[in-house]
Structures are given as C-alpha cells and as structure tokens.
C-alpha cells in the first residue's frame, strides 16, 4: 500500500477523526492512482473516479509531527519555516529558517522549496516546484501535512471502461453489499497494505507475480488470475498464473483483440458473454463467462497485463476498480525488475566481452567483428572453419576461441596438414599401434588423443589427402576413430577448429576436397581479412612488434619515423602480419637509431612511399630508376607478358611491382 494510505490509516484512528476527514483523501498512490478514504454513517465505502476541476478553498491538515491535529487555511503567500515571522513557524531543528512557501496561483496552489537543508517532500519525493493536488502529503522536517481542497466537484462513479488514472474514492454515494460494519473495508485495506509493503522487497519476477496474483485473488473473486508479459517478439504471453478453482486450471483463454485494446488505449475493461460484441469465439467456447483486464502502465506504455477470468458470473465495476488499483501498485516494481533484468543481461554480455582474452592486435571495424565473433562462438562446442590468406593470424583466432571456451583448461593441439606426408599425417592424427608399419617399434598416441578435453586445431586442412579426409569425417560425425594398425575404437572428446587459405567450396566442386567434410567443418565459419584491407591496424601492430622484439634483443627502440610509418601503411604486405613482424624484427636488429628509419627495412617496403622518400634521396632515386626500367620494358614489349619476359619476372610479380611503384596499368 502506498505510504499515503498508511499515513491516513495510522493518523485517523478514531471514529471522530474519520468523520472529520470525510471527502478529504490522502495523497497520490503509485503510478498516478490517487487513494482517498471517507466513511459514511454506515461505515461503508465505494471505489470510484474523482474529477477535480473546480477551483476550491484549501488548507493544510497536520497528520504527523508536533502540530498533528491542527488545520491551517491557505491563501495568497503561505510560508513555512523555523523563523517566527513565517506564516506557519515550526519549532523543529530539521526545518530551515525559510523552508518552503505555498503560493496561490491561477492554476492552483504551488509549493516552492526555498533551498532548505533537508528538502521539502511531496508524497515522499523531494521537490523544488510542485503544483499541489487534493490529497498530496507534504513533509517539512518531522511534520506531515495533507493538502485538502474543501469545495470539490461531486465525485462520480466510474462507468464503462475504467481510465488508467482512476481515483479510489470511499464516499457516501453508494455502498458495496459486503461493506457492512466496515469488515470489507478493513480486509481490503489490510490486503493493500500487505501488498504495498511486500512489493518493494521482491527481487525476482516470479516473486512479484506470486504476490500480485495472490493479492488479486484475495481481493477480487475470480476463477483464475494471470500476469501476461511481453515475449521476445513483443506479444503478451501468459507468463504467470494462479487459480482458485478446485481443479487448479490456470491457463487463460486470452482474447488478442481484448489485449490490443487494453494496451493501445491504456484502459481497463470488462468483457462478458452476452455483450453486443463477444471478445472471441475461443472465449465463448471455453465457458468463460466474464474477463476483467487491466494494464500495468509504467513509462507511458503497458509493461504487462493483469487478466482475470470468471465462470458462472460476471465481474462488476467494483471488481474492475480494485483490479486497476492492484495494477497501479504493481506497475512500477514490475518495470524496475524488467529494467534490472535487462541491465544484468547487458552486464553479462559486457563482462564476457571484456573477459575475452586473445593476443590479437587491432581496433579496425574488421577486427572488432572478429572479436565479437570470438565472444559469441567461443562458449559453444561447435566446429569452426577459419578462412584467410597465409599470415593473417588464423591460428591466433583459433587460440582465442580455445582460451575463451569451457575447454580452456584442456590442451590446445595443432597439426599442419601441409607439413607432413600422407603416411606421417595419418599417424600424427590418429596414432599407431606397435608394428603397424616399418619403424613402428612402439604404440604411439595421436594428436587427437593428446587433445582430449581441449581444442584440436587443424591448420591448412585444404591440403589433407582424400584418403585421410574420409577417416577424419568419422571423427566429426561420430566422435570416434582407430589408431593406425589398431582395431580398438577410441572416443574423440575434442572441439575441432580448422583453418585454410584455399577456397574449399571450389575445391569440393572440382572433387579435390570431400564436399561432406567441407560442410561438416563449416558449421560456423569466419574470414580473416588480409592486412592490406585493414591498414589502420598497421600502426598498433608496429608498436606491438617493436615492444616484443626490442625486449628480446635488449635494445631501446622508441618507434618509427613518420615517413617510415607512411611507407609501412602504403605497402600491400602480401605476406600479411607474418611479413610485417619479420620486417619489424629485422629493423630492430639492424637499426642504429632509437627511431626505426626507412633504410632499416627491405627496399621493396621503402619504395612503397609516395615518392620513395624524395627524388634527391637514395631511396627516391632508386625508386625513380625502377619506374623508368619498367616503363621502358612495357614500351618495348607492348604487353605485360612480353615486358615480364624482358625483365625476367613472372607476370604476377610484374603486376605487383607496377602497383608498388605507383605506375598505372594500361
């Protein structure tokens, strides 16, 4: 129950005080609902809708603190503070000398905080400027006051569809049949109080739904109550249900049209059989007599819906008004829990991303995509195929997948299929038994066995002979294999990551690679871009390799000159990162200055600059001489093929040289 209702219940304990406060309700409840309590002579009350459009006289009624029980009429300029010259002086050390002021304006009475030390609160919230409305609770130090407007427009009962911002009014206009002797009122207030005290302490959606549905069935007679939450697609689904039926059946028969109207209009409503427009055919066929629906509105939209069903009788307006009040109490806690759940999910994602360990360097968009791929795929056990040119770092990606996977405590075992003959590769992969072939003097475990519980990296898988491909396919399909010369079937508890610089799809079409193995390997695949397609990563890679190799050779290197860095950026790096690392290591070893210069690098890299370092420099003159030689050969040969023959170069090398020298191909 909102604190405002608690305050009213706690400070109006006698029949006289209740009668004195008739039609002067306490402050706003949560989610825009305003709760007001007034007893008639029969101690019965009604929940209805209040419209306050008539400007009225107002007063402050002290409901707590040293002035409790006193009333102060408001008009014009009404100041509150510890100083004796205030309209309302309060002898309280927690009150500032000039604490706040209430001004009568054309729109009503507006409260202004005057920079008080302990703030002025309205309905428990610190305010600086607030238009007061009937029933607001104002806190000044330890004193509490109710803002009451004395001449109000008559209260009207809510009819038809209930607006989402109702006022719960306990008035003399109409009585509920079960309200005799105040028993119904006391039970209702006790249930609201328990719910209001319990909801702020819940930490899970399950607990909130349980408390809200239990209170709903306690206050509103229904066969079943459901809390419908949006799923991933945004559709409302029955996430939590409770039942008062003996058979315990709780699954609601939800009318989609009904839910759409409730959510779009943000109104609560009742739908019953016999209405001019029945909710739905399924609604009628399920023997549901009546349904009451109220949205839980937070942040301007319906975060969830309370859905009640009854068989045999209809819901009435009092039921609907209680349901609106329950939805109002549950809306803000529900929205908070949903936000907390979203934040926790985002935190888990960010922690996983931060925790992703790898030795890859680069911050380009292409590299960020690789990091995200590793973060998503590493926790799974799926087979991964990595494409990329030689030297792009395919094994680094494979090691990152292993390091961030549940198998990270297991071994990472790598085999290069291009480095071994067919016989040796088979033995290396599967192992062999003693006497399996000449020289097999003892049993030997294969790499698959060594990788037990870890990751098995198959590099250059496109070079695997067709005869071994069939055996390795069984490893992927059945997770079992046999040693060479053996008959015992062994289990392969490994994750397979393969890498290749070949187009395996094209190789499969040419029958050079088994298509079934290709598709088994390509469960998840990624392509590693060559270094020339992410030149923005060259500078951080240069710094990384300088630190690595300068420390190894115990030499102080501070960096590279700007001209040298420009050459490194312009060079195409056909050998990719491996070629870059080798060039940096060579420069670190041969360089004589703290800054690496162009002369520390191979001539081909130095010539990649815009003018080779200037036409008057050594490198500039060499570059210009090479350009002239190539031009002369092209002019004499008339074609690239003939020019390559004249120069004694392969045509592919000539094309690359033309690009490096900055010559336009014709």
């Amino acid at each position: 129950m909102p604190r405002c209702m608690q305050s009213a219940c706690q400070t109006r304990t006698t029949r006289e005080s209740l009668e004195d406060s008739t039609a002067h309700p306490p402050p706003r409840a949560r989610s825009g609902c305003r709760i007001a309590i007034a007893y008639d002579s029969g101690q019965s009350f009604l929940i209805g809708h209040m419209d306050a459009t008539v400007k009225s006289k107002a007063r402050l009624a002290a409901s707590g603190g040293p002035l409790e029980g006193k009333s102060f009429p408001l008009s014009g300029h009404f100041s509150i503070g510890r100083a004796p010259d205030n309209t309302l002086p309060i002898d309280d050390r927690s009150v500032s000398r000039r604490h706040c002021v209430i001004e009568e304006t054309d729109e009503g009475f507006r409260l202004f905080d005057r920079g008080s030390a302990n703030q002025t609160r309205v309905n428990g919230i610190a305010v600086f400027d607030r238009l007061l409305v009937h029933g607001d609770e104002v806190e000044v130090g330890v004193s509490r006051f109710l803002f009451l407007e004395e001449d109000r427009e008559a209260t009207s009962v809510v009819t038809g569809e209930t607006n989402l911002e109702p006022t719960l009014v306990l008035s003399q206009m109409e009585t509920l049949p079960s309200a005799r002797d105040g028993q119904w009122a006391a039970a209702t207030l006790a249930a609201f109080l328990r719910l209001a005290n319990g909801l702020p302490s819940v930490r899970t959606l399950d607990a909130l739904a349980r408390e809200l549905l239990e209170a709903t069935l306690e206050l509103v007679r229904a066969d079943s109550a459901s809390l419908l939450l949006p799923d991933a697609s945004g559709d409302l689904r029955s996430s939590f249900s409770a039942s008062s039926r003996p058979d315990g059946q709780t699954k609601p028969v939800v009318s989609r049209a009904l839910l759409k109207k409730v959510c779009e209009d943000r109104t609560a409503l009742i739908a019953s059989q016999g209405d001019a427009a029945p909710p739905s055919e399924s609604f009628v066929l399920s023997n549901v007599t009546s349904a009451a629906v109220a949205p839980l509105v937070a942040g301007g939209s319906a975060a969830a819906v309370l859905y009640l069903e009854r068989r045999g009788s209809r819901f009435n307006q009092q039921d609907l008004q209680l349901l609106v009040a329950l939805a109002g109490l549950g809306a803000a806690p529900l929205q908070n829990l949903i936000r907390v759940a979203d934040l926790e999910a985002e935190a888990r994602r960010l922690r996983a991303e931060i925790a992703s360990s790898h030795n890859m360097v680069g911050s380009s968009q292409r590299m960020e995509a690789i990091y995200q791929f590793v973060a998503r795929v590493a926790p799974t056990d799926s087979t991964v195929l990595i494409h990329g040119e030689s030297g792009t770092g395919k094994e680094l990606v494979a090691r990152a997948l292993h390091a961030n996977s549940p198998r990270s405590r297991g071994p990472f075992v790598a085999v290069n299929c291009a480095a071994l003959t067919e016989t040796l590769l088979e033995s290396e992969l599967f192992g062999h038994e003693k006497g399996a072939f000449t020289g097999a003097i003892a049993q030997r475990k294969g790499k698959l066995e060594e990788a037990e519980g870890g990751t098995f990296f198959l590099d250059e898988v496109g070079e695997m002979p067709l005869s071994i491909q069939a055996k390795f396919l069984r490893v992927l399909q059945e997770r079992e294999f046999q040693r060479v010369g053996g008959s015992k079937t062994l289990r392969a508890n490994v994750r397979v990551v393969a890498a290749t610089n070949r187009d395996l799809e094209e190789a499969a079409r040419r029958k050079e690679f088994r298509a079934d193995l290709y598709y088994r390997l390509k469960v998840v695949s990624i392509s590693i871009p060559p270094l020339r397609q992410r030149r923005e990563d060259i500078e951080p890679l240069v710094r990384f390799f300088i630190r690595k190799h300068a420390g190894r050779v115990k030499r102080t290197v501070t960096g590279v000159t700007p001209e040298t860095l420009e050459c490194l950026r312009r060079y195409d790096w056909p050998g990719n990162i491996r070629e870059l690392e080798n060039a940096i290591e060579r420069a670190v070893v041969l360089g004589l200055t703290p800054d690496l210069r162009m002369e520390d690098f191979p001539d081909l890299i130095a010539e990649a600059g815009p003018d080779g370092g200037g036409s008057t420099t050594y490198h500039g003159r060499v570059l210009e001489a090479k350009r002239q030689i190539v031009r002369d050969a092209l002019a004499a040969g008339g074609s690239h093929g003939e020019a390559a023959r004249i120069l004694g170069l392969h045509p592919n090398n000539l094309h690359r040289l033309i690009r490096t020298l900055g010559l336009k191909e014709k």
Side-chain angles (χ1 to χ4, degrees):
M1 175 179 292
R3 183 174 61 185
C4 51
M5 182 178 283
Q6 297 176 41
S7 299
C9 293
Q10 293 166 0
T11 60
R12 298 282 192 266
T13 56
T14 65
R15 175 64 179 270
E16 290 75 19
S17 62
L18 287 171
E19 291 176 345
D20 181 63
S21 64
T22 300
H24 302 311
R28 281 186 180 272
R30 190 176 303 167
S31 299
C33 291
R34 199 181 301 157
I35 301 179
I37 308 173
Y39 281 76
D40 65 5
S41 57
Q43 299 187 28
S44 303
F45 70 91
L46 168 72
I47 298 174
H49 188 87
M50 178 180 292
D51 295 316
T53 59
V54 177
K55 187 176 179 181
S56 60
K57 296 180 181 179
R59 62 191 175 97
L60 286 182
S63 60
L67 302 175
E68 182 175 356
K70 296 182 179 181
S71 181
F72 306 93
L74 297 174
S75 64
H77 178 90
F78 189 91
S79 61
I80 303 174
R82 198 173 72 251
D85 58 344
N86 284 288
T87 311
L88 177 56
I90 302 177
D91 186 14
D92 177 3
R93 299 301 299 178
S94 62
V95 177
S96 299
R97 290 181 58 80
R98 302 282 186 268
H99 199 96
C100 64
V101 62
I102 299 175
E103 297 278 1
E104 185 176 11
T105 67
D106 291 339
E107 56 184 345
F109 289 89
R110 184 172 289 277
L111 182 146
F112 299 94
D113 184 83
R114 303 174 73 177
S116 59
N118 294 316
Q119 300 178 318
T120 306
R121 296 179 179 272
V122 177
N123 302 330
I125 300 174
V127 298
F128 295 97
D129 178 359
R130 170 70 174 263
L131 180 66
L132 297 176
V133 295
H134 184 70
D136 275 343
E137 182 181 61
V138 179
E139 294 181 39
V140 180
V142 299
S143 298
R144 294 194 303 276
F145 304 90
L146 294 180
F147 174 76
L148 303 174
E149 294 175 296
E150 297 178 352
D151 298 324
R152 298 180 57 86
E153 197 175 67
T155 301
S156 62
V157 179
V158 178
T159 58
E161 294 185 351
T162 305
N163 190 279
L164 255 191
E165 293 192 357
T167 301
L168 309 187
V169 182
L170 317 184
S171 72
Q172 301 178 14
M173 295 177 54
E174 183 178 337
T175 62
L176 298 178
S178 58
R180 295 168 186 165
D181 300 327
Q183 294 177 358
W184 186 88
T188 300
L189 291 175
F192 270 103
L193 181 59
R194 287 195 302 272
L195 183 63
N197 286 336
L199 287 183
S201 63
V202 298
R203 294 292 180 267
T204 65
L205 284 174
D206 288 359
L208 182 141
R210 184 172 59 253
E211 291 212 19
L212 188 58
L213 293 178
E214 286 177 356
T216 301
L217 290 177
E218 179 181 352
L219 290 167
V220 185
R221 186 170 61 85
D223 290 320
S224 65
S226 299
L227 181 65
L228 282 64
L229 296 172
D231 58 15
S233 63
D235 293 333
L236 289 168
R237 303 292 181 187
S238 178
S239 302
F240 305 96
S241 298
S243 175
S244 61
R245 298 178 60 187
D247 59 8
Q249 182 176 341
T250 61
K251 186 177 181 180
V253 181
V254 179
S255 167
R256 293 295 160 195
L258 202 61
L259 289 181
K260 182 178 180 181
K261 180 174 179 58
V262 167
C263 293
E264 288 182 352
D265 298 344
R266 292 188 293 168
T267 57
L269 53 83
I270 296 172
S272 304
Q273 287 196 36
D275 290 347
S280 66
E281 184 179 354
S282 60
F283 186 90
V284 176
L285 294 175
S286 64
N287 296 321
V288 173
T289 304
S290 186
V293 192
L296 280 71
V297 177
S301 61
V305 167
L306 270 175
Y307 192 95
L308 273 61
E309 289 181 344
R310 186 183 284 177
R311 291 169 173 81
S313 62
R314 294 190 177 196
F315 291 106
N316 57 36
Q317 289 300 311
Q318 287 85 11
D319 296 329
L320 185 63
Q321 292 151 8
L322 282 172
L323 187 61
V324 169
L326 289 164
L329 281 177
L334 174 66
Q335 182 72 1
N336 290 339
L337 286 177
I338 291 174
R339 287 175 178 171
V340 168
D342 291 342
L343 289 173
E344 288 176 345
E346 179 68 6
R348 286 193 297 270
R349 185 190 69 79
L350 291 174
R351 281 196 295 267
E353 187 174 314
I354 292 171
S356 179
S357 63
H358 54 75
N359 292 320
M360 294 179 284
V361 177
S363 57
S364 64
Q365 188 174 356
R366 303 288 294 270
M367 288 305 296
E368 289 295 338
I370 293 173
Y371 300 152
Q372 293 175 15
F373 173 86
V374 170
R376 290 196 304 269
V377 175
T380 71
D381 218 25
S382 300
T383 302
V384 181
L385 179 61
I386 304 172
H387 296 273
E389 296 180 7
S390 179
T392 52
K394 297 187 290 294
E395 185 169 345
L396 281 178
V397 175
R399 289 186 180 276
L401 289 169
H402 171 72
N404 295 280
S405 73
R407 295 177 175 269
S408 58
R409 294 183 179 274
F412 178 88
V413 178
V415 173
N416 190 325
C417 298
L420 300 170
T421 63
E422 180 176 344
T423 303
L424 290 177
L425 179 59
E426 184 178 14
S427 175
E428 187 78 1
L429 291 175
F430 306 112
H432 61 257
E433 298 290 350
K434 181 180 179 180
F437 50 83
T438 303
I441 58 176
Q443 184 192 76
R444 181 179 181 274
K445 288 184 177 182
K447 296 297 184 182
L448 279 170
E449 287 182 79
E450 292 180 11
E452 175 71 17
T455 301
F456 182 67
F457 177 55
L458 204 57
D459 198 8
E460 303 298 347
V461 68
E463 308 302 323
M464 180 184 288
L466 287 170
S467 59
I468 301 179
Q469 289 180 27
K471 295 182 179 180
F472 196 78
L473 178 62
R474 184 168 181 81
V475 173
L476 294 177
Q477 288 179 328
E478 308 297 336
R479 297 292 170 179
E480 60 184 31
F481 65 96
Q482 293 179 347
R483 296 192 189 105
V484 177
S487 58
K488 182 181 179 181
T489 299
L490 304 175
R491 299 293 299 173
N493 176 23
V494 297
R495 180 190 192 171
V496 176
V497 179
T500 182
N501 58 8
R502 293 183 61 189
D503 184 349
L504 293 188
E505 188 172 2
E506 179 62 28
R509 280 198 293 268
R510 296 198 304 265
K511 306 299 183 183
E512 297 174 1
F513 195 86
R514 290 183 65 106
D516 48 4
L517 178 58
Y518 167 66
Y519 292 115
R520 279 289 180 180
L521 290 171
K522 193 186 177 182
V523 176
V524 182
S525 65
I526 185 172
S527 180
I528 310 301
L531 190 53
R532 63 181 174 275
Q533 292 181 7
R534 52 186 186 100
R535 297 181 188 272
E536 58 268 43
D537 290 331
I538 289 177
E539 184 174 357
L541 284 166
V542 168
R543 292 197 301 267
F544 175 79
F545 290 134
I546 286 176
R547 288 194 302 269
K548 175 181 176 181
H549 295 292
R552 184 176 297 172
V553 300
K554 296 181 174 56
R555 182 182 166 223
T556 300
V557 179
T558 58
V560 297
T561 63
E563 297 81 7
T564 305
L565 182 59
E566 182 61 26
C567 287
L568 297 177
R569 286 199 187 104
R570 293 177 65 89
Y571 184 57
D572 276 345
W573 300 106
N576 293 293
I577 298 174
R578 185 179 294 121
E579 183 183 4
L580 174 62
E581 181 176 8
N582 292 342
I584 296 295
E585 182 178 8
R586 175 185 186 275
V588 167
V589 172
L590 298 180
L592 300 175
T593 60
D595 287 337
L596 300 184
R597 300 175 177 273
M598 285 191 294
E599 52 264 28
D600 300 327
F601 289 88
D603 290 342
L604 194 60
I605 297 174
E607 292 162 1
D611 61 357
S615 59
T616 60
T617 65
Y618 167 75
H619 289 291
R621 293 186 178 186
V622 170
L623 178 61
E624 188 56 39
K626 287 187 176 182
R627 286 174 177 163
Q628 190 58 48
I629 292 171
V630 172
R631 291 193 193 100
D632 293 343
L634 289 171
S639 67
H640 282 80
E642 186 61 24
R645 187 190 65 76
I646 293 172
L647 295 172
L649 298 174
H650 191 279
N652 291 343
N653 292 339
L654 177 59
H655 282 288
R656 187 169 71 240
L657 182 59
I658 290 172
R659 289 198 306 272
T660 301
L661 295 174
L663 298 174
K664 293 183 178 180
E665 297 193 41
K666 297 182 180 180

